[in-house]
Amino acid sequence: MYQKIKPPEEGEKIEYRDGKFIVPDNPIIPFFKGDGIGSDVVPAAIKVLDTAAELIGKTIVWFEIYAGEEAYRIYGTHLPEDTLNAIKEYRVALKGPLTTPVGGGYRSLNVTLRQTLDLYANVRPIYYLKGIPTPVKNPERINFVIFREATEDVYAGIEWPKGSKEALKLIEILEKEFGAKIRRDSGIGIKPISEFATKRLVRMAIRYAIENKRRSVTLVHKGNIMKYTEGAFRDWGYEVAKQEFSDRCITEEELGEKTPDGKIVVKDRIADNMFQQIMLRSEEYDVIVLPNLNGDYLSETAAALVGGVGIAPGSNIGDGIAVFEPVHGSAPKYAGLNKVNPTAQILSGAMMFEYLGWKKASEMIKKAVVMTIEEGTVTYDLHRQIGGKLVGTKEFAEAVIENLRSL
Ligand code: NAP
């Protein structure tokens, strides 16, 4: 089945039955370092994860796979079939960042990965860890989870450059048949948002809210302007809540003075308003669901509220398949310098543990990260804001491991 990689002989596969992962005590988990700083942060994170797993009596059997430049060197392609097959077979994977060329070049590997494996929800928890510098006054009130759609919207990759025969043809059809006015020197991109993709995302978000005792689900959209894509996203979202979860959800409109016990409030907000809402009234938001592009912007802004991209973890989730990754990219200028902060990669691993049902280990990792930062042991990004003892990527991870062992 594999051309250039060999699955480990030890360890067992994670299975998926009746909508749930069945996780052995020694799961095989594929991982790739990716590009740029991936080779700094991924090995550092793996050491921390191994320690946390050991402390709860589990062992991860890592299976190295390849994507990005390293894959290109080995396979002659940036995203080999081997890599996709390993993630499909083993279901849960840890990834480092991947570089994407701007303008021309190959298509985003991250987008291709999400679309090929149908990892339709980009899930990013935004919570504050004590000691981390933040631009907001009450960061401890921030604790929400973003569900961003990841397979469609303007990320669908349906676009043509100015003057191409496809762009000119589309402009002609739109003008002749639909009376639209478009300048002939326009590039053309298409923004599809479907009922199917919206509903499965909202369904996942509401289920998450129920399972994790969250109080509200907010549908964020720009439906006042893009009525049949973003506006429809909102309408389909409410439909899911009303038709499939009426016993657990209540809409903001139906709500009286007080939320009835055990009910989740479903509401919606216009995207631009939402940017100030998460800064000024973050405690009013709990689970936030958005289409792809606005989700991208909002999650990066949200990450900045709790320490920036060096801290923020993320994941790409489908049905019975999940890939965990930091929010940040490959930051090529820092690659191989043992300089950047591995926290986002470490916390992505902690999120993976939570997903596997290893909640205790996940909480221990978060605690150990907080202890390390509170002791003043920090990488350059936090050092320039709060000072302390400046350390490299590896040394930071070692300090986290020491704290983990002391818990
Ligand atoms: P980036 O790689 O996230 O880096 C932007 C800046 O964020 C860095 O210059 C650095 O800030 C800070 N930063 C990032 N990671 C950090 C860490 N671990 N510790 C401390 N600081 C960190 O974003 P980019 O420069 O826009 O993108 C570079 C490449 O990554 C692009 O090819 C992009 O497409 C790709 N990308 C990939 C992913 C992914 O794989 N999921 C996500 C985003 C971007 P300072 O310069 O201020 O120190």
Side-chain angles (χ1 to χ4, degrees):
M1 182 176 176
Y2 298 102
Q3 279 176 14
K4 301 202 178 193
I5 47 176
K6 200 166 161 284
E9 279 164 16
E10 310 201 319
E12 288 169 62
K13 271 188 212 174
I14 294 172
E15 304 284 350
Y16 184 71
R17 264 179 255 134
D18 304 326
K20 295 236 175 311
F21 283 115
I22 319 287
V23 184
D25 286 343
N26 55 348
I28 298 176
I29 299 193
F31 78 99
F32 62 77
K33 296 198 274 281
D35 294 319
I37 56 169
S39 53
D40 299 86
V41 294
V42 174
I46 281 182
K47 282 194 183 148
V48 173
L49 298 178
D50 280 341
T51 310
E54 179 201 315
L55 290 171
I56 59 157
K58 318 268 185 188
T59 314
I60 298 171
V61 180
W62 297 102
F63 175 16
E64 182 157 20
I65 56 177
Y66 302 93
E69 291 301 323
E70 202 175 0
Y72 192 78
R73 280 194 294 279
I74 300 172
Y75 290 88
T77 168
H78 289 90
L79 195 55
E81 283 293 311
D82 270 1
T83 299
L84 296 167
N85 287 338
I87 301 174
K88 271 188 221 155
E89 185 176 358
Y90 292 95
R91 299 188 175 277
V92 174
L94 184 72
K95 84 178 264 294
L98 291 167
T99 297
T100 307
V102 176
Y106 54 87
R107 215 174 147 220
S108 162
L109 300 177
N110 291 307
V111 174
T112 310
L113 190 73
R114 287 172 195 149
Q115 286 178 350
T116 314
L117 298 175
D118 205 18
L119 299 162
Y120 59 85
N122 189 219
V123 183
R124 293 175 175 179
I126 304 289
Y127 53 82
Y128 177 66
L129 291 179
K130 222 170 135 210
I132 288 176
T134 153
V136 289
K137 273 197 191 139
N138 300 108
E140 66 288 345
R141 292 183 190 163
I142 300 175
N143 184 1
F144 51 80
V145 184
I146 295 178
F147 284 74
R148 164 191 168 201
E149 207 289 325
T151 61
E152 48 182 36
D153 196 353
V154 286
Y155 282 64
I158 312 170
E159 57 173 9
W160 293 277
K162 171 198 108 170
S164 62
K165 79 175 189 313
E166 293 88 350
L168 290 173
K169 176 101 187 169
L170 269 170
I171 291 171
E172 191 187 314
I173 294 172
L174 291 167
E175 280 187 347
K176 280 202 184 134
E177 299 193 18
F178 303 111
K181 291 231 169 310
I182 301 173
R183 293 189 182 93
R184 285 185 69 75
D185 61 348
S186 301
I188 297 284
I190 307 272
K191 177 186 176 81
I193 291 199
S194 68
E195 180 175 356
F196 170 77
T198 302
K199 285 192 165 175
R200 69 178 174 174
L201 176 77
V202 175
R203 199 172 288 127
M204 184 190 274
I206 294 179
R207 281 195 188 127
Y208 174 90
I210 293 171
E211 277 162 24
N212 292 280
K213 301 193 172 43
R214 296 281 182 158
R215 293 158 296 127
S216 71
V217 172
T218 306
L219 306 162
V220 179
H221 58 89
K222 191 73 187 161
N224 51 335
I225 306 297
M226 293 167 272
K227 298 183 194 304
Y228 309 117
T229 49
E230 302 260 336
F233 179 89
R234 178 199 65 176
D235 296 344
W236 291 323
Y238 277 124
E239 267 177 44
V240 172
K242 284 182 185 159
Q243 291 170 1
E244 300 177 28
F245 297 96
S246 59
D247 54 330
R248 297 304 307 273
C249 293
I250 182 165
T251 63
E252 200 171 33
E253 261 182 3
E254 296 163 341
L255 196 64
E257 292 276 288
K258 212 173 140 251
T259 310
D261 277 351
K263 291 261 184 180
I264 292 162
V265 179
V266 179
K267 51 192 173 183
D268 75 280
R269 297 287 180 271
I270 303 259
D272 38 336
N273 170 29
M274 194 61 186
F275 277 80
Q276 60 156 338
Q277 294 282 324
I278 60 162
M279 283 183 219
L280 303 175
R281 302 162 70 159
S282 48
E283 67 277 13
E284 290 176 23
Y285 300 95
D286 221 353
V287 171
I288 301 174
V289 196
L290 314 92
N292 210 335
L293 181 64
N294 279 321
D296 194 6
Y297 297 152
L298 193 90
S299 46
E300 202 110 339
T301 310
L305 303 180
V306 291
V309 290
I311 308 291
S315 64
N316 304 285
I317 314 273
D319 294 326
I321 185 160
V323 177
F324 295 82
E325 64 168 340
V327 168
H328 65 69
S330 57
K333 67 180 175 185
Y334 294 127
L337 300 182
N338 186 39
K339 179 168 175 152
V340 292
N341 195 342
T343 300
Q345 189 79 50
I346 294 172
L347 294 179
S348 303
M351 192 180 173
M352 179 174 86
F353 278 5
E354 215 175 301
Y355 214 79
L356 298 180
W358 298 0
K359 286 205 163 125
K360 187 172 172 215
S362 173
E363 287 309 315
M364 285 165 74
I365 294 171
K366 288 186 207 166
K367 227 182 232 175
V369 167
V370 168
M371 282 166 76
T372 310
I373 294 169
E374 282 195 318
E375 282 162 16
T377 305
V378 289
T379 44
Y380 85 97
D381 51 323
L382 297 189
H383 186 262
R384 71 186 169 195
Q385 299 181 69
I386 54 173
K389 180 180 161 209
L390 175 64
V391 296
T393 313
K394 274 188 205 145
E395 293 71 29
F396 181 83
E398 275 157 18
V400 174
I401 289 171
E402 212 178 301
N403 281 324
L404 256 178
R405 292 206 182 278
S406 75
L407 286 175

